[in-house]
Amino acid sequence: MPTSDAAVSFARDIKPLFRPIDVLHMKPSGHFLDQYAYMSDPKNNHENAQRVYESLIGNPPKMPPGGPYWTAQQLELYASWMQGGYLP
Ligand code: HEM
């Protein structure tokens, strides 16, 4: 697992964090969790990636509904991916 300053890759590190059921349930509302183009879209300050992050944090987190919620380590990895420049 990369440390916070290693290059974090969407395909290698982030995409596998989403379960098939997450991808399936979010697709109809236009949230394409498994698609790099959607997740890395720079428009509105990377709004798509930011909204996903905000849905995963909080107490309790909003997503996935009822859990299991992401661990601190998973959230840190996602944050590092954003800070690292949304690399593929
Ligand atoms: C890692 C998993 C998931 C992520 C990252 C995620 C992400 C999101 C995001 C970003 C939104 C929009 C919230 C906003 O407008 O700010 C949302 C809404 C929603 N999600 Fe998910 N989702 C996940 C899993 C699921 C699952 C498994 C279900 C169903 C069982 C689900 C059902 C919904 C529903 C019904 C809404 C619309 C209602 C609302 O906005 O509160 N999600 N989700």
Side-chain angles (χ1 to χ4, degrees), residues 18-19 21-22 25-26 31 33 51-52 55-56 62-65 70:
F18 300 110
R19 304 166 302 169
I21 196 175
D22 298 326
H25 276 90
M26 295 315 302
H31 299 86
L33 302 176
R51 279 208 177 187
V52 165
S55 77
L56 293 165
K62 198 171 169 186
M63 292 289 140
W70 282 22

Side-chain angles (χ1 to χ4, degrees), residues 33-84:
L33 302 176
D34 63 338
Q35 291 182 22
Y36 177 69
Y38 173 83
M39 293 293 289
S40 65
D41 188 342
K43 110 173 149 339
N44 298 331
N45 264 331
H46 290 91
E47 182 183 13
N48 293 344
Q50 191 61 44
R51 279 208 177 187
V52 165
Y53 183 65
E54 282 163 10
S55 77
L56 293 165
I57 58 176
N59 193 18
K62 198 171 169 186
M63 292 289 140
Y69 304 126
W70 282 22
T71 64
Q73 199 177 29
Q74 290 173 314
L75 292 170
E76 213 170 283
L77 192 59
Y78 188 95
S80 298
W81 174 66
M82 295 197 294
Q83 278 153 22

